Amino acid sequence: MQFKEIIGQERVKQQLVQTVKENRISHAQLFLSPAGSGAVPLAIAYAQYINCLDKGENDSCGECSSCRKYERLIHPDLHFSYPFFASASVKTAVDVLEEWRAMLMQDPYFDMDIWRSKLDAANKQANINIAECHDIIKKLSYKAFEAETKVLIMWLPEYLDKAGNALLKLIEEPPANTLFILIAQSQDQILTTILSRTQIVKIPKLSSEEVTGYLLNSSGLNENQAIDYSFLADGNLIEAKALAADTQSDSSGTFTAWLRMGFGNKVPDLIDFTDDAAKWGRENQKNFLKYGVNYLRECCLIISGAEELVKLPPLTFETAKKLSTHVLTLPMAEAIIGELEKAHYHIERNANPKILFLDVSLQLVKIIKFKTLPAGTQYIYN
């Protein structure tokens, strides 16, 4: 894995490269990042750059013996630890190493749900148990086989629980030339004793432009679809890829047209829309409702005078601004959000989509056209 293969994160890449050039690599680092931002590939690329035999100015060479082994994740001085589902045949992370490598080689952007799908999880809880901690101590007590620096990359140390205390001495006083990289999503869930012994590297979520660019280059989406899915994913490349697996048409245009039908009390058009929506399939229906919730939250920002915080693309923003200025009020937007969230909940539980979308459509008419808000959504604003 080279830095050039990783989407975005240019500032973090430069920061990591600089630590190597200036010989100030902290022995225990915590990569704190939201899901889908690329922390795992960044950690692997960083380790590969550290151990590259012919480093470039900003990246590893990709051709030396060390890089070739890193590319296949088989370098003897590269170790991984991660949550797994313990059983009679699976006692430590090494027992599912082949599945881990296969998943990483297929796509280094993944989350716990994807990892779970690769394993025999049954009803068990994932964790990093005491046996795994002892195995880490054992592996890192050996001398390096080839590289100058041994590297342990631990994904989701939140799953360590109290077993993580067994690693404290090793993290605080590791063997010479040993690097710990912990990759976490929630700082609050990490043992404070471990947190205090690491240097935090904050990795931001990807920008909408970066996600849109990736979707345009790697999938058959048109520009409007890529922009919509990027907006929905909110910097999470994993979610953006999942959305791109479906090819529903322009969410922005469809959703605003639906609102206009409600405002115009165009019941025949709403019935036609309901018939079409019922054929989309459950995942597309959920994505459409989720898009509507996010879109209306942006409208709430516009209504509240916080336009500078709105993340909508220019053309969609202009449409949202007109709706927010001439049609919607804050209580109306909040009421519609409530209806969409309820619909999303019921779609997940296999509600009849035709009945559900017709009901929501009629609620839109009540809220937008007749300004009749459901009970519990009347507010007094100063």
Side-chain angles (χ1 to χ4, degrees):
M1 179 68 65
Q2 292 179 279
F3 286 124
K4 66 182 180 182
E5 300 172 42
I6 298 167
I7 298 153
Q9 306 297 2
E10 297 306 321
R11 183 191 61 79
V12 179
K13 292 176 189 176
Q14 190 57 44
Q15 176 185 338
L16 296 174
V17 167
Q18 205 62 29
T19 64
V20 180
K21 289 180 178 178
E22 297 175 2
N23 195 27
R24 52 179 181 84
I25 303 169
S26 176
H27 69 268
Q29 301 183 37
L30 173 65
F31 284 18
L32 192 60
S33 70
S37 59
V40 173
L42 272 171
I44 297 171
Y46 184 38
Q48 179 170 324
Y49 184 69
I50 290 171
N51 285 317
C52 177
L53 303 177
D54 187 22
K55 297 179 181 62
E57 183 66 21
N58 295 304
D59 212 341
S60 53
C61 70
E63 298 176 359
C64 68
S65 60
S66 175
C67 285
R68 289 199 299 271
K69 289 173 183 175
Y70 261 90
E71 290 293 338
R72 291 180 290 160
L73 305 175
I74 59 171
H75 198 289
D77 296 310
L78 173 65
H79 305 284
F80 291 100
S81 183
Y82 35 80
F84 60 93
F85 304 92
S87 65
S89 59
V90 179
K91 295 180 173 59
T92 64
V94 173
D95 295 327
V96 287
L97 182 59
E98 289 307 310
E99 292 86 345
W100 173 262
R101 282 176 176 158
M103 179 183 67
L104 269 177
M105 295 292 286
Q106 181 181 358
D107 190 346
Y109 291 82
F110 58 90
D111 56 17
M112 193 62 200
D113 289 337
I114 295 173
W115 175 227
R116 176 187 290 270
S117 71
K118 308 294 182 184
L119 303 174
D120 180 18
N123 293 321
K124 297 188 286 288
Q125 293 289 325
N127 71 340
I128 301 174
N129 60 19
I130 190 66
E132 172 66 7
C133 293
H134 289 159
D135 191 55
I136 290 171
I137 294 169
K138 179 182 175 183
K139 285 186 292 192
L140 296 185
S141 66
Y142 299 142
K143 288 184 178 180
F145 286 89
E146 295 178 10
E148 185 177 328
T149 304
K150 288 177 295 183
V151 180
L152 176 91
I153 297 175
M154 178 180 284
W155 180 58
L156 298 185
E158 296 96 318
Y159 284 81
L160 269 171
D161 200 19
K162 293 181 180 179
N165 286 319
L167 297 174
L168 294 183
K169 183 172 177 56
L170 185 66
I171 293 176
E172 189 168 11
E173 298 176 10
N177 299 321
T178 301
L179 171 63
F180 281 88
I181 302 178
L182 283 68
I183 301 169
Q185 294 173 7
S186 176
Q187 183 175 341
D188 295 338
Q189 294 178 24
I190 303 172
L191 290 170
T192 54
T193 47
I194 288 180
L195 199 59
S196 63
R197 288 165 169 80
T198 59
Q199 176 183 328
I200 296 178
V201 178
K202 291 190 176 180
I203 299 171
K205 65 183 179 183
L206 296 170
S207 69
S208 295
E209 292 76 17
E210 288 167 340
V211 176
T212 300
Y214 171 82
L215 292 176
L216 287 173
N217 293 330
S218 65
S219 63
L221 300 179
N222 61 43
E223 187 173 359
N224 285 339
Q225 288 173 330
I227 289 172
D228 283 348
Y229 289 149
S230 172
F231 171 64
L232 266 177
D234 192 24
N236 185 338
L237 196 67
I238 300 166
E239 189 161 346
K241 288 180 178 183
L243 291 168
D246 300 315
T247 53
Q248 183 187 325
S249 59
D250 174 29
S251 295
S252 172
T254 306
F255 183 73
T256 52
W258 192 29
L259 293 180
R260 290 192 185 98
M261 292 176 207
F263 179 69
N265 194 16
K266 299 177 180 178
V267 175
D269 291 341
L270 288 171
I271 293 173
D272 290 340
F273 169 82
T274 297
D275 291 338
D276 290 338
K279 301 172 186 175
W280 289 346
R282 189 172 69 166
E283 290 305 312
N284 277 332
Q285 291 161 356
K286 286 164 58 181
N287 291 340
F288 176 75
L289 293 169
K290 184 178 176 184
Y291 180 89
V293 169
N294 290 347
Y295 182 92
L296 287 169
R297 285 174 178 162
E298 300 297 300
C299 288
C300 289
L301 289 174
I302 297 173
I303 295 168
S304 302
E307 291 184 13
E308 67 279 2
L309 300 178
V310 176
K311 297 179 294 184
L312 294 171
L315 290 177
T316 308
F317 173 75
E318 289 304 317
T319 305
K321 192 171 181 179
K322 290 175 184 175
L323 278 169
S324 303
T325 305
H326 303 295
V327 177
L328 296 173
T329 63
L330 201 55
M332 289 164 64
E334 291 173 347
I336 297 171
I337 288 172
E339 294 298 326
L340 298 180
E341 288 178 336
K342 283 194 292 184
H344 187 280
Y345 174 87
H346 291 300
I347 285 290
E348 280 191 321
R349 284 148 186 81
N350 293 317
N352 184 306
K354 203 165 189 177
I355 296 173
L356 188 70
F357 274 96
L358 181 58
D359 177 64
V360 178
S361 298
L362 296 177
Q363 293 299 326
L364 288 180
V365 174
K366 286 175 62 178
I367 294 168
I368 303 177
K369 175 66 176 177
F370 298 108
K371 299 179 174 55
T372 304
L373 301 180
T377 59
Q378 289 79 19
Y379 302 98
I380 299 173
Y381 293 95
N382 295 325

